[in-house]
Amino acid sequence: GEDVEQSLFLSVREGDSSVINCTYTDSSSTYLYWYKQEPGAGLQLLTYIFSNMDMKQDQRLTVLLNKKDKHLSLRIADTQTGDSAIYFCAESIGGTYKYIFGTGTRLKVLA
Amino acid sequence: DTAVSQTPKYLVTQMGNDKSIKCEQNLGHDTMYWYKQDSKKFLKIMFSYNNKELIINETVPNRFSPKSPDKAHLNLHINSLELGDSAVYFCASSRGTGSNEQFFGPGTRLTVL
């Protein structure tokens, strides 16, 4: 299967942590990604993780990968109003050029 | 300095018309993509080209025809536009190897009346 699912909405208060979750079904994924889309713009890569890793930290961002459960999460520490955007997880399928994007999570940060 | 550019940014047209969207990347990437993002923000791959050759063609109506005159360009031509074609179309490019990060253009908002 090729479905990548995310919760559609998440609302947090400024300064709190945000956790955005993603589940995927294709076990042949080689890389998993998190992209951010601001209003009226294209997607920008935030971070990615190789499929043989469990965790990756990059400043305020922490990515956790549970390959057994096919679950990926993105934690944003000290969430700011500028973090309000749509966040997409994506997987690239090993041996192909194919990318599958998740349904997107709209993060709203309340001041 | 724009890495991936698309023209036009907005396109409003009548049903039945034929239109084209252009995409150019100056990153030296070998692989380019077209995506469609609908009103619910779902993003679906349409086509991918690697070194000017078609490598991915999802179940897209044959009214949509991509053309890659060279590695830096991937244009999208749409015939006989329908109301359901209204969406934002994104072009992207990647090296096609390694981490395969995709670089997206700013999008073209197509509105079919």
Side-chain angles (χ1 to χ4, degrees):
Chain A
E2 296 186 343
D3 291 334
V4 182
E5 299 284 339
Q6 300 177 235
S7 306
L8 289 181
F9 299 100
L10 177 65
S11 180
V12 299
R13 295 211 171 274
E14 194 174 18
D16 288 350
S17 292
S18 310
V19 179
I20 303 171
N21 294 301
C22 171
T23 56
Y24 61 97
T25 56
D26 199 313
S27 55
S28 60
S29 304
T30 47
Y31 287 91
L32 294 124
Y33 311 83
W34 283 104
Y35 282 81
K36 178 182 180 183
Q37 185 181 26
E38 297 189 357
L43 280 69
Q44 282 193 299
L45 181 71
L46 285 177
T47 186
Y48 66 89
I49 188 167
F50 189 47
S51 58
N52 69 356
M53 296 170 63
D54 298 327
M55 185 183 98
K56 182 178 179 182
Q57 184 142 10
D58 185 358
Q59 299 183 335
R60 292 191 297 124
L61 306 178
T62 303
V63 178
L64 295 178
L65 175 60
N66 181 329
K67 207 169 176 184
K68 176 174 163 287
D69 294 339
K70 298 192 181 73
H71 184 264
L72 181 74
S73 68
L74 173 70
R75 179 177 181 271
I76 306 173
D78 187 24
T79 315
Q80 303 297 307
T81 52
D83 295 325
S84 292
I86 302 176
Y87 290 80
F88 291 90
C89 64
E91 55 176 340
S92 60
I93 309 303
T96 76
Y97 293 92
K98 197 165 181 181
Y99 243 67
I100 300 170
F101 280 89
T103 45
T105 299
R106 191 183 294 270
L107 173 65
K108 186 172 180 179
V109 183
L110 306 169
Chain B
D1 267 292
T2 307
V4 182
S5 58
Q6 294 178 228
T7 52
K9 190 163 173 61
Y10 299 97
L11 185 52
V12 181
T13 188
Q14 300 284 338
M15 245 182 359
N17 284 350
D18 303 337
K19 290 291 176 189
S20 292
I21 307 171
K22 294 186 176 182
C23 177
E24 177 181 0
Q25 54 96 3
N26 62 7
L27 297 165
H29 287 164
D30 289 336
T31 309
M32 295 184 73
Y33 307 79
W34 276 108
Y35 289 89
K36 180 181 180 181
Q37 187 174 44
D38 64 22
S39 57
K40 293 182 180 173
K41 304 297 184 184
F42 297 149
L43 198 65
K44 291 284 186 190
I45 191 166
M46 300 172 70
F47 301 103
S48 177
Y49 271 70
N50 178 257
N51 283 317
K52 300 195 302 172
E53 286 197 24
L54 181 66
I55 52 171
I56 293 174
N57 182 351
E58 291 296 291
T59 48
V60 177
N62 57 14
R63 296 182 296 106
F64 290 78
S65 51
K67 285 197 170 42
S68 182
D70 54 59
K71 277 188 353 178
H73 295 85
L74 181 62
N75 303 323
L76 184 65
H77 188 76
I78 316 169
N79 287 329
S80 303
L81 278 154
E82 300 178 357
L83 294 176
D85 297 331
S86 295
V88 181
Y89 291 84
F90 286 100
C91 177
S93 74
S94 72
R95 284 183 303 168
T97 58
S99 67
N100 205 22
E101 174 186 355
Q102 299 212 353
F103 291 79
F104 280 77
T108 296
R109 182 175 292 276
L110 172 64
T111 303
V112 183
L113 305 174

